[in-house]
Amino acid sequence: EKTVKAEIRGTDAKDDLAVVEVKIKDIEEDTLSKIKVATIGDSDKLSVGDASIAIGNALGYGQSVTTGVISALNREIEFDDDTSNFLIQTDAAINPGNSGGALLNMKGELIGINSAKISISGYEGLGFAIPINTARPIAEELVRNGSVTSRPVLGVACHRLSSMASSFYGLPQGLYVTGVAPGSGASAAGLQAGDVITHINDTLVENLSS
């Protein structure tokens, strides 16, 4: 096992992705000759029931390889008031340390980047990966810019007002704005802390993922 110095080129917390750069000159020749570039697959061609292989460093013990099947596509999960959409769900074991590892098909093609696992007592076989067709353009932008700049940003921080809180404070039910980013679309539209967002056009806003 050998260690090589690396630098972070960019990170994207929204999609749980990062690009790490390793300079060729820092890799010993005998090690460099053994490195093979992964073949990129097409995650749009996946079907439920396809076999999958998850590779990572589970629990920090070293390389781990687990197998399973694709059990769902375009899955949506919510963590800490943030929602990730269009994820690949697999029952290949994905544990802490697997995040950032490869999800492969049976041809050895990279079809996803392992991202998260529901680790609640009583739940097993719920591993998630970011489809490679989603991850690849994000990675390319991280290399170019160091961050994702093409994603539209509303520019507000909000908390959901429950019916009880709305009644207690005499406010309409919706999202209570706690802050507005300077120069953002929300700022230009005149939103400010203390406002309550109840609708977007004619759509009722009930939570942060509405």
Side-chain angles (χ1 to χ4, degrees), residues 14-28:
K14 169 67 177 175
D15 286 294
D16 192 27
L17 290 171
V19 172
V20 178
E21 179 182 40
V22 176
K23 297 187 182 299
I24 291 179
K25 66 181 182 63
D26 293 332
I27 305 175
E28 297 178 4

Side-chain angles (χ1 to χ4, degrees), residues 19 47 67 80 115 119 190 194:
V19 172
S47 298
T67 60
D80 299 327
S115 179
S119 55

Side-chain angles (χ1 to χ4, degrees), residues 132-200:
I132 194 60
N133 289 6
T134 299
R136 188 173 186 176
I138 293 173
E140 291 171 348
E141 187 165 358
L142 291 177
V143 171
R144 291 194 304 269
N145 305 321
S147 62
V148 177
T149 59
S150 60
R151 182 183 296 123
V153 176
L154 180 59
V156 293
C158 300
H159 288 301
R160 184 179 71 85
L161 283 172
S162 65
S163 57
M164 182 181 295
S166 297
S167 177
F168 182 82
Y169 292 107
L171 295 171
Q173 196 167 348
L175 298 181
Y176 182 82
V177 178
T178 58
V180 178
S184 65
S187 177
L191 284 175
Q192 55 188 346
D195 288 343
V196 178
I197 302 173
T198 60
H199 291 76
I200 296 179

Side-chain angles (χ1 to χ4, degrees), residues 19-69:
V19 172
V20 178
E21 179 182 40
V22 176
K23 297 187 182 299
I24 291 179
K25 66 181 182 63
D26 293 332
I27 305 175
E28 297 178 4
E29 289 189 13
D30 62 328
T31 300
L32 187 60
S33 64
K34 299 175 183 177
I35 295 176
K36 295 183 179 180
V37 178
T39 300
I40 305 297
D42 185 351
S43 54
D44 289 341
K45 294 182 178 180
L46 292 175
S47 298
V48 173
D50 287 350
S52 61
I53 303 170
I55 298 177
N57 182 18
L59 307 176
Y61 292 147
Q63 180 173 296
S64 64
V65 180
T66 56
T67 60
V69 298

Side-chain angles (χ1 to χ4, degrees), residues 196-207:
V196 178
I197 302 173
T198 60
H199 291 76
I200 296 179
N201 293 327
D202 294 326
T203 302
L204 178 66
V205 175
E206 298 179 315
N207 52 56

